[in-house]
Amino acid sequence: AQKITQTQPGMFVQEKEAVTLDCTYDTSDPSYGLFWYKQPSSGEMIFLIYQGSYDQQNATEGRYSLNFQKARKSANLVISASQLGDSAMYFCAMNRPGDYKLSFGAGTTVTVRA
Amino acid sequence: DAMVIQNPRYQVTQFGKPVTLSCSQTLNHNVMYWYQQKSSQAPKLLFHYYDKDFNNEADTPDNFQSRRPNTSFCFLDIRSPGLGDAAMYLCATSRLGSGALGAQYFGPGTRLTVL
C-alpha cells in the first residue's frame, strides 16, 4: 500500500519569498510517480509538477521545483518568489505504473502575505 | 482550449431527492474519475472509468452511481442524498500512460448542498 504524508497543515509566507512544502511517502514499489497539485479556494485542482522515481534530475516547472530525495522518500515542493495568487491548498500525490489511481496526502494550506 | 467542464458549479438539493452531476471533457482522455472532497480534506476517489469499463471503489456507498455514455461525458447520480453527502464533487480525466502522461486533469468541481 502507498501512503503520502504532509505534516504541515498550514503555512504563511511573505510575498516574493520562497516556501518549501514537505511530502514524504511510503511504498514498496521500485517504480512510482509523484505529483503536486494546487487547489485554490475556487476548488479546481491544478496539476503543477511530476517526478518519476527513476528520474535522475529534480523536476522543475517555472517557479515550482521538486526536491526529490529518494533514499529519504521525500518529494518536497519549492515555490520560489511567492505571489499572492499562490495562496491555496497544495496536495502531494503518488501512483504506481499501470495503476492510474492517485494516493493523496492530507494537503498543506499556503497563505501568501503582502 | 482543451478542458474538463462540470455542471452545475453549485447544486442545492433536498434530503432524499435524486441529483445528477455532469462532467464533460475535450481532452479525449481514456480515463474519467469522480472524487468526493469534504472541507479541508484530500479528495476521495468514488469510481473511475477506463473507456467503458467501470471501476467502483470498495467503500463507495451504493447510493452513488455513475454513467459514461461516451468518451466525452460522465455523470454522477446520487440516488438519495443525505446530509453527509454535502461536499465538493470533482471530475478528473487522464490518459492511460506512464509518468507525467498519466497526470490527472480536474474540472472546477460541483459544490453540493443538501437541505
Side-chain angles (χ1 to χ4, degrees):
Chain A
Q2 300 174 316
K3 185 178 179 183
I4 296 279
T5 302
Q6 294 180 254
T7 56
Q8 306 152 310
M11 299 183 70
F12 290 93
V13 60
Q14 205 64 32
E15 197 177 9
K16 300 181 185 176
E17 291 186 350
V19 62
T20 297
L21 309 183
D22 294 342
C23 173
T24 58
Y25 58 90
D26 188 20
T27 181
S28 56
D29 296 307
S31 180
Y32 47 87
L34 295 156
F35 301 79
W36 276 93
Y37 284 85
K38 171 185 178 182
Q39 188 176 38
S41 57
S42 58
E44 182 176 354
M45 298 269 285
I46 302 165
F47 168 53
L48 294 178
I49 195 166
Y50 168 83
Q51 179 83 45
S53 59
Y54 290 118
D55 292 343
Q56 295 295 314
Q57 294 191 327
N58 287 341
T60 60
E61 288 288 347
R63 293 187 298 112
Y64 304 107
S65 60
L66 208 150
N67 183 3
F68 180 49
Q69 298 188 44
K70 192 171 182 177
R72 298 180 61 183
K73 293 190 175 179
S74 75
N76 298 340
L77 177 71
V78 181
I79 307 173
S80 62
S82 296
Q83 301 172 356
L84 296 177
D86 294 334
S87 294
M89 193 147 186
Y90 289 82
F91 290 96
C92 182
M94 73 182 299
N95 68 359
R96 297 173 296 182
D99 182 359
Y100 28 83
K101 293 192 292 185
L102 290 174
S103 299
F104 284 92
T108 296
T109 300
V110 172
T111 303
V112 181
R113 289 170 162 161
Chain B
D1 287 343
M3 57 176 55
V4 182
I5 302 161
Q6 289 188 245
N7 286 303
R9 294 292 309 278
Y10 300 91
Q11 177 73 58
V12 180
T13 191
Q14 291 183 332
F15 183 93
K17 186 174 181 181
V19 66
T20 295
L21 310 182
S22 73
C23 176
S24 63
Q25 56 134 339
T26 60
L27 297 164
N28 204 30
H29 284 171
N30 302 92
V31 193
M32 293 187 79
Y33 312 77
W34 278 106
Y35 289 88
Q36 179 192 65
Q37 186 181 27
K38 296 194 175 178
S39 183
S40 301
Q41 295 182 20
K44 178 181 179 297
L45 183 64
L46 296 173
F47 22 63
H48 72 277
Y49 281 91
Y50 170 49
D51 288 334
K52 291 212 164 190
D53 290 338
F54 176 71
N55 298 271
N56 200 28
E57 293 301 296
D59 57 354
T60 298
D62 292 340
N63 197 27
F64 292 87
Q65 304 286 318
S66 184
R67 297 168 282 136
R68 188 179 185 185
N70 54 52
T71 302
S72 301
F73 285 87
C74 196
F75 299 96
L76 170 62
D77 300 309
I78 308 176
R79 293 193 296 190
S80 182
L83 298 178
D85 297 327
M88 175 75 92
Y89 290 87
L90 294 166
C91 175
T93 72
S94 74
R95 294 186 188 91
L96 183 64
S98 59
L101 290 176
Q104 293 186 18
Y105 293 85
F106 287 77
T110 295
R111 193 172 294 279
L112 179 68
T113 300
V114 181
L115 301 176

